Amino acid sequence: QVQLQQWGAGLLKPSETLSLTCAVSGGSFSGHSWTWIRQPPGKGLEWIGEINHSGNTNNNPSLNSRVTISVDTSKTQFSLELSLLTAADTAVYFCAGGRKVTVPAANKYYYVMDVWAQGTTVTVSS
Amino acid sequence: SSELTQDPAVSVALGQTVTITCQGDSLRGYFASWYQQKPGQAPVVVMYGENKRPSGIPDRFSGSTSGNTASLTITAAQAEDEADYYCNSRDTTTNHLHVIFGGGTKLTVL
């Protein structure tokens, strides 16, 4: 069973760069797309971006210019960097693994994030 | 880009049935996935695909889809079902490149 463990600095100053890493264990690294999500205090979930085992990335356009997601397949880890931080970036940051599956009988897909790490609280304050 | 719309809050009496809905154009191409989140915890998937429940999720949780609307139904709701619920899919208007979430529904069990 796939498990995720994440770590990184929790208190940062404005204009600094957030850096988080997520380690994948217990399953196939190529079976998921590896995703970062954040949740500001009292608010909903926001997708930041994802990477697959080949290093292909997709990012949320609203954050795209500040986001770098990378992967280290030798360590089965993936990482997030978010630059030029402001107070609006204060949130709990989660890493998760997602799968897109085709349902031919219905001519549809589903996408499920079925493994999550515990989250890291990141506070941006001077 | 596409959006997923959820009612912000829903309440249900203990033991009664409640349905949480999620509406969006991308749901014509995707079955929604549903996540339960309790305070201070990471989200947990409770429903995905065409009415699939992960192991460990009680069978009082069920899902359905009609057109651009997905529904999560909890039959005989229990106190422990009080939580925030989020729906999710990929965005078909961006060639499936982006992931989208609904704004979340806060379920209160009375």
Side-chain angles (χ1 to χ4, degrees):
Chain A
Q1 183 164 348
V2 179
Q3 292 184 315
L4 302 180
Q5 184 168 6
Q6 66 180 95
W7 65 88
L11 180 59
L12 295 162
K13 291 180 167 52
S15 80
E16 290 186 335
T17 296
L18 173 158
S19 181
L20 298 173
T21 298
C22 187
V24 181
S25 62
S28 169
F29 192 65
S30 62
H32 286 76
S33 60
W34 303 108
T35 303
W36 291 97
I37 297 119
R38 70 180 183 178
Q39 185 171 37
K43 295 189 178 181
L45 301 171
E46 179 182 27
W47 178 70
I48 298 171
E50 66 183 3
I51 192 166
N52 66 14
H53 67 285
S54 299
N56 299 309
T57 58
N58 295 308
N59 295 334
N60 187 325
S62 69
L63 301 169
N64 193 38
S65 62
R66 298 195 291 130
V67 169
T68 302
I69 297 176
S70 59
V71 66
D72 185 337
T73 54
S74 67
K75 296 182 179 179
T76 62
Q77 294 177 357
F78 62 106
S79 298
L80 168 70
E81 291 191 341
L82 181 65
S83 62
L84 298 174
L85 294 173
T86 70
D89 295 310
T90 294
V92 178
Y93 286 73
F94 297 98
C95 62
R99 296 181 292 120
K100 177 186 170 184
V101 177
T102 303
V103 185
N107 196 29
K108 295 179 76 163
Y109 305 89
Y110 66 82
Y111 176 74
V112 58
M113 289 178 281
D114 53 6
V115 57
W116 292 70
Q118 76 281 10
T120 298
T121 299
V122 174
T123 302
V124 181
S125 175
S126 56
Chain B
S1 64
S2 183
E3 294 181 346
L4 298 176
T5 301
Q6 298 181 240
D7 291 329
V10 171
S11 62
V12 61
L14 184 68
Q16 297 302 302
T17 296
V18 62
T19 296
I20 299 169
T21 61
C22 173
Q23 190 171 30
D25 287 341
S26 289
L27 298 183
R28 297 188 186 279
Y30 279 84
F31 293 105
S33 292
W34 291 94
Y35 304 85
Q36 176 193 70
Q37 187 181 34
K38 296 182 178 179
Q41 298 183 18
V44 173
V45 59
V46 295
M47 190 66 55
Y48 66 99
E50 196 168 18
N51 200 21
K52 294 179 182 293
R53 271 179 297 105
S55 61
I57 302 301
D59 62 4
R60 63 178 179 272
F61 288 85
S62 63
S64 64
T65 301
S66 178
N68 72 341
T69 302
S71 300
L72 175 71
T73 297
I74 308 173
T75 303
Q78 302 300 302
E80 60 263 33
D81 300 332
E82 184 162 293
D84 294 327
Y85 290 85
Y86 295 91
C87 61
N88 144 258
S89 79
R90 298 192 75 97
D91 185 353
T92 57
T93 69
T94 61
N95 200 24
H96 307 231
L97 290 178
H98 299 153
V99 174
I100 50 178
F101 286 98
T105 297
K106 182 177 183 61
L107 176 66
T108 300
V109 179
L110 303 172

